[in-house]
Amino acid sequence: MGSEATKRIQQLGHAAEPYIIEQRRYFHQHPELSLQEFKTTEAIARELDGMGIPYARPTATGLIATLAGTAPDAYLPDGSPRRRLLIRADIDALAVTERTGEPFASENEGVMHACGHDCHIAMQLGCLRILSQMRDALHGEVRAVFQPSEENGGGSALMIDAGACEGVDGAYAAHIWSEVAAGTISCEPGPRMANTDWFRVDIRGTSCHGAMPQRGADAIIAAAEIVNNL
């Protein structure tokens, strides 16, 4: 069954390629900033409606879709899925002005998908399109989370609080990366890259007369030394 499923995925993936490219260019052309992804979420919802995949919108711009498998053992007697796997794509853009000259360049001045989230949306929609045609091979559920506000670090908490991770057996969140050769993936267990966090350092200096700098403490010089050492 494994080799047969792989062949189906490859065939369906090849057929879905134009769709994925089309979606990526659409979302690239219509970027929205963190927590302002209203039109983006509407466009995602329209695509899911076309695939017949139900979804919920627990936050203003976040969306959680559920693709139910139809394999004979997909659900346990109590109605719960045998397995529930989560896939996640972030959907927000950056406050960057695009100057690429591409025909599908951003139409929103000062906003650009400069970090690849347009690709992530398109990839996840393409994944769901493929899997929606393979429901009979799914032994459980696939939960697809379209997460807002990744760039400012707050969207994951919003979606977790909305229950996105409840009852899942595993989660998969991909990111495009230019240093990985085309046609390959980089995957390993454990944490990857860095988390988002905030801290504040206040530097307090001591004023003095300009002719007697030795009696003062220059906060700018102290701050620069901290930056260099960090």
Side-chain angles (χ1 to χ4, degrees):
M1 180 60 186
S3 60
E4 294 176 9
T6 299
K7 287 182 181 179
R8 289 178 66 187
I9 292 171
Q10 291 173 336
Q11 292 169 351
L12 293 170
H14 180 74
E17 182 179 2
Y19 169 80
I20 297 170
I21 293 173
E22 176 188 21
Q23 292 301 311
R24 184 259 164 169
R25 292 181 177 180
Y26 170 82
F27 288 109
H28 187 87
Q29 200 167 10
H30 303 90
E32 295 176 297
L33 295 174
S34 300
L35 299 178
Q36 300 177 31
E37 313 95 334
F38 299 103
K39 293 181 180 179
T40 299
T41 307
E42 287 292 339
I44 293 168
R46 286 196 300 271
E47 294 303 314
L48 296 174
D49 287 337
M51 299 179 202
I53 299 176
Y55 54 85
R57 298 175 65 170
T59 67
T61 55
L63 186 149
I64 301 175
T66 301
L67 181 60
T70 59
D73 63 345
Y75 286 85
L76 301 174
D78 64 1
S80 61
R82 182 168 296 278
R83 292 285 187 276
R84 181 186 283 122
L85 297 180
L86 183 152
I87 56 176
R88 167 268 195 187
D90 36 20
I91 66 175
D92 55 332
L94 288 163
V96 174
T97 299
E98 181 164 6
R99 294 285 185 264
T100 64
E102 295 286 355
F104 52 87
S106 171
E107 293 183 355
N108 299 337
E109 184 67 23
V111 185
M112 178 188 178
H113 272 298
C115 194
H117 296 187
D118 51 336
C119 298
H120 302 165
I121 301 168
M123 290 157 56
Q124 186 148 293
L125 287 173
C127 177
L128 290 172
R129 181 168 175 149
I130 293 168
L131 294 178
S132 68
Q133 300 174 74
M134 297 183 61
R135 297 174 196 251
D136 60 326
L138 294 181
H139 301 265
E141 283 183 358
V142 175
R143 177 178 293 171
V145 175
F146 292 88
Q147 177 202 312
S149 188
E150 187 272 345
E151 295 295 359
N152 66 12
S156 58
L158 286 175
M159 299 306 283
I160 291 170
D161 290 343
C165 295
E166 292 179 6
V168 301
D169 297 293
Y172 174 80
H175 201 299
I176 60 168
W177 202 249
S178 59
E179 295 181 5
V180 178
T184 64
I185 64 171
S186 172
C187 185
E188 65 185 30
R192 297 293 299 268
M193 300 188 181
N195 73 309
T196 299
D197 212 337
W198 297 91
F199 65 90
R200 171 174 170 164
V201 177
D202 292 321
I203 310 296
R204 293 183 174 87
T206 302
S207 61
C208 64
H209 194 285
M212 292 180 286
Q214 74 276 9
R215 295 189 178 181
D218 192 329
I220 294 176
I221 292 176
E225 285 299 314
I226 291 174
V227 170
N228 284 333
N229 279 281
L230 286 176

